[in-house]
Amino acid sequence: MDVVIFIVVGLVVLLAAGLLVGVSMRGRPAPPAGPPTIRRGGLGTRVRSILRGAPGDEEWAALEESLVGADAGTVAAREIVGRVRHRWEPGADPEQLLIEELVKMFDGDPPLDLPPDLAVVMVVGVNGTGKTTTIGKLAKRLAGEGRSVAVAASDTFRAGATEQLGTWAERAGAHFVAQARGADPGAVAHDAVQAARARGHDALIVDTAGRIHTKQPLMEELRKVKRVLTKAAEKDPDEVLLVVDATTGQNGIAQARTFLEAVEVTGIALTKLDGAARGGVVLAIRKELGVPVKLVGTGESIEDLRPFDPETFARSLMRD
């Protein structure tokens, strides 16, 4: 009997405590609203969620945060949001406005445009970005345009690099210039120019060793290769392409800045732009460094390389 009484008393106490809490909360103001909720999903989903109704400062800040989260960088994100906000009016399509402003970030950028005589393309980038694959795809593309293409293996350090590039050159139908592993990269570059001229090629693509962009001695080797190419061809390389992995994120800006300082990069080849990767980092590179995007790799096939199209890129970035 004592146990039953104890249980009943306990229930009464709990009930009374609940009633007291409810009474104490009456009349209190509701807690302040938090920042706008950003639903998970692609950038398009987040934009539509953020800019519902009449967006205020918090919503515009959330949009900027979403762009930064897509690797656009703070400088580019702030400018893009400012432009969208300036054009915003009730009933506007927020996704379309954002696409249009993303496209404008690349206004006036030149495409890959090589001269009709011997065009020299130097390709740089860190290991693992898809540099060798991009060279093979570019060789195939240029050959498909009717050019006679040579590919030079100035990456003489990495084990298997020459063999791998040779396989891609063969698939592309390009003449392959190489020396033994450990040979002087500058000597390979010089011989490649001479061989391309002697054989009547009108396009030469020069591979270089994948560089860790923080290693200055390695970057100096790149400068040397470029000087050799300039002297042998009697002109600067027509293009110095930096291969950037679309999954790199903000580290891609640091890479681009270092390569730009070393060899005056003229364009970006964005790779692995398939699956979930959207490549928003090129917005940051374009805004902060002024380097245009010229080529995009979208798959594993040798045919999967195309000129960069800003609108296609913008819509891909927004895709859910």
Side-chain angles (χ1 to χ4, degrees):
M1 187 67 179
D2 290 342
V3 174
V4 174
I5 294 173
F6 178 78
I7 293 174
V8 171
V9 170
L11 290 174
V12 171
V13 170
L14 288 174
L15 180 61
L19 290 172
L20 287 172
V21 170
V23 170
S24 67
M25 292 296 291
R26 289 177 185 175
R28 291 191 180 184
T37 300
I38 305 176
R39 294 183 297 176
R40 294 185 180 273
L43 185 57
T45 295
R46 297 196 295 271
V47 169
R48 291 189 295 272
S49 175
I50 293 168
L51 299 185
R52 291 174 298 179
D57 290 343
E58 288 185 344
E59 284 75 19
W60 293 115
L63 178 58
E64 184 175 320
E65 180 184 343
S66 291
L67 285 170
V68 172
D71 295 326
T74 55
V75 178
R78 190 175 302 117
E79 178 175 327
I80 292 166
V81 170
R83 290 179 178 180
V84 173
R85 187 171 187 174
H86 178 72
R87 295 179 56 195
W88 176 264
E89 59 184 24
D93 181 346
E95 187 172 350
Q96 182 59 34
L97 281 180
L98 185 53
I99 287 173
E100 291 171 4
E101 295 305 330
L102 289 169
V103 170
K104 287 179 183 178
M105 295 293 289
F106 303 98
D107 276 357
D109 283 359
L112 186 74
D113 186 19
L114 301 177
D117 54 353
L118 180 58
V120 179
V121 180
M122 180 178 175
V123 183
V124 301
V126 302
N127 284 330
T129 56
K131 180 165 56 68
T132 303
T133 303
T134 299
I135 290 171
K137 292 177 179 181
L138 178 58
K140 178 68 173 179
R141 184 175 186 86
L142 294 177
E145 294 173 357
R147 286 183 175 268
S148 175
V149 185
V151 172
S154 281
D155 180 356
T156 60
F157 297 107
R158 182 170 62 89
T162 298
E163 292 78 5
Q164 184 184 12
L165 186 63
T167 299
W168 277 99
E170 182 179 1
R171 290 177 62 189
H175 176 63
F176 187 53
V177 181
Q179 294 185 15
R181 184 184 175 192
D184 177 27
V188 177
H190 178 273
D191 290 352
V193 174
Q194 301 304 318
R197 278 183 172 153
R199 297 174 64 93
H201 296 301
D202 53 18
L204 170 64
I205 308 172
V206 182
D207 186 20
T208 57
R211 302 301 184 189
I212 301 174
H213 62 282
T214 56
K215 302 295 185 182
Q216 283 305 314
L218 301 180
M219 299 305 290
E220 182 55 42
E221 187 68 43
L222 279 186
R223 296 184 183 97
K224 176 185 173 183
V225 171
K226 186 184 178 187
R227 288 195 300 268
V228 169
L229 286 173
T230 298
K231 184 175 181 180
E234 300 178 343
K235 63 174 181 177
D236 286 334
D238 297 286
E239 292 281 2
V240 179
L241 296 178
L242 171 62
V243 179
V244 174
D245 184 338
T247 66
T248 299
Q250 289 299 294
N251 189 46
I253 302 175
Q255 292 177 18
R257 180 175 287 110
T258 305
F259 281 102
L260 179 63
E261 292 171 354
V263 290
E264 298 178 0
V265 172
T266 61
I268 300 294
L270 185 64
T271 62
K272 305 179 186 180
L273 197 64
D274 50 358
R278 306 295 168 83
V281 66
V282 297
L283 288 162
I285 293 173
R286 179 64 188 86
K287 177 60 184 175
E288 297 180 35
L289 304 179
V291 181
V293 187
K294 298 199 173 183
L295 296 169
V296 175
T298 58
E300 297 297 327
S301 169
I302 197 169
E303 308 288 346
D304 292 333
L305 184 74
R306 63 172 186 259
F308 176 71
D309 178 68
E311 183 164 355
T312 301
F313 165 77
R315 293 190 180 280
S316 173
L317 194 66
M318 297 291 291
R319 190 176 63 242
D320 292 334

